[in-house]
Amino acid sequence: MRASDADRERVAEVLREAVAEGRLDMEEFDERLGAAYKSRTQGELQVLVRDLPVSAETAPMVLPGVRGQDASVTSWASRIGVPATSKGAFAFWGGFKRWGQWSVPRVFTSFAMWGGGEIDLREARFEEREVTIRCITIMGGIQVKVPNDLHVEVRGIGIMGGFDDKATGEGTPGSPRVRVTGFALMGGVGVDRKLRRAEKERLRGERRKEL
């Protein structure tokens, strides 16, 4: 269904509340707000706030079905049941990166000591519908990026460090269930929702047309 100006403003209000509560950083807020005002359908708007709570004040204004199905966003059937391409990652005085169309195993274990790593699930395939990503850091850091329409649970702990969760929330029906666990000892693990590259390119293209 086509989105109206009122629909876009309702979603913008939810995003403003989220950044005020610390659920979104300013970079992600600006990214999502720009996408909201560029959205043409309710499905595009729903993806932007699917992982965010709705307050009593904004609940009556939120789009109907905002936590429901939006089959146009992602076709998960073709992305589940793909043999794993990597079982784990290790960084010691260095770094690692898993991104693009790689396939996530049932259990993926990552370790970073005096180094860093990035695990990007935005274009990933999945060996099974339920997967676990273990992140262990000792004086290092691991960043996990997930798309807005993926079901995510974060259960890690920080010991003299941080295990930041900005992603826990429901995905679209049929999406894989990703559980991020582990611990950060004098280091950090961050789990964030990010727009896919294709969506970013679409928004950039629309901005260029306006110039």
Side-chain angles (χ1 to χ4, degrees), residues 49-200:
V49 294
R50 189 181 305 279
D51 60 319
L52 299 174
V54 179
S55 71
E57 290 77 11
T58 57
M61 304 190 306
V62 175
L63 293 170
V66 70
R67 299 185 186 278
Q69 184 172 7
D70 180 18
S72 65
V73 176
T74 303
S75 176
W76 289 112
S78 63
R79 297 174 62 176
I80 299 174
V82 180
T85 57
S86 177
K87 296 289 187 178
F90 177 86
F92 179 74
W93 286 103
F96 67 81
K97 188 172 185 178
R98 298 292 185 274
W99 63 287
Q101 296 184 5
W102 68 295
S103 183
V104 185
R106 183 177 62 84
V107 178
F108 180 87
T109 302
S110 59
F111 177 83
M113 181 173 181
W114 296 329
E118 179 180 322
I119 302 170
D120 192 334
L121 303 183
R122 289 176 292 180
E123 307 296 336
R125 275 57 177 157
F126 299 85
E127 184 177 44
E128 297 183 10
R129 187 170 298 279
E130 294 193 16
V131 303
T132 298
I133 296 179
R134 296 172 177 163
C135 297
I136 302 167
T137 69
I138 300 176
M139 293 185 285
I142 297 176
Q143 182 71 29
V144 182
K145 299 178 181 179
V146 301
N148 290 326
D149 50 356
L150 186 68
H151 182 97
V152 179
E153 300 174 25
V154 181
R155 298 184 179 179
I157 61 174
I159 304 172
M160 297 178 66
F163 210 107
D164 294 335
D165 174 15
K166 296 181 180 177
T168 291
E170 296 290 331
T172 54
S175 75
R177 301 176 69 89
V178 176
R179 181 178 294 108
V180 183
T181 66
F183 68 88
L185 175 62
M186 294 187 289
V189 174
V191 188
D192 298 282
R193 291 189 184 265
K194 301 289 185 181
L195 292 177
R196 290 188 172 90
R197 291 181 177 85
E199 180 64 14
K200 288 183 177 180

Side-chain angles (χ1 to χ4, degrees), residues 27 30-32 34-40 44 122-123 145 194-211:
E27 179 182 357
D30 290 339
E31 188 177 81
R32 293 198 192 191
Y37 285 122
K38 296 292 184 181
S39 295
R40 297 174 181 172
E44 291 174 310
R122 289 176 292 180
E123 307 296 336
K145 299 178 181 179
K194 301 289 185 181
L195 292 177
R196 290 188 172 90
R197 291 181 177 85
E199 180 64 14
K200 288 183 177 180
E201 288 300 321
R202 183 183 71 82
L203 293 173
R204 290 192 189 103
E206 291 183 355
R207 292 190 188 104
R208 283 195 288 268
K209 290 179 182 179
E210 293 177 351
L211 297 177

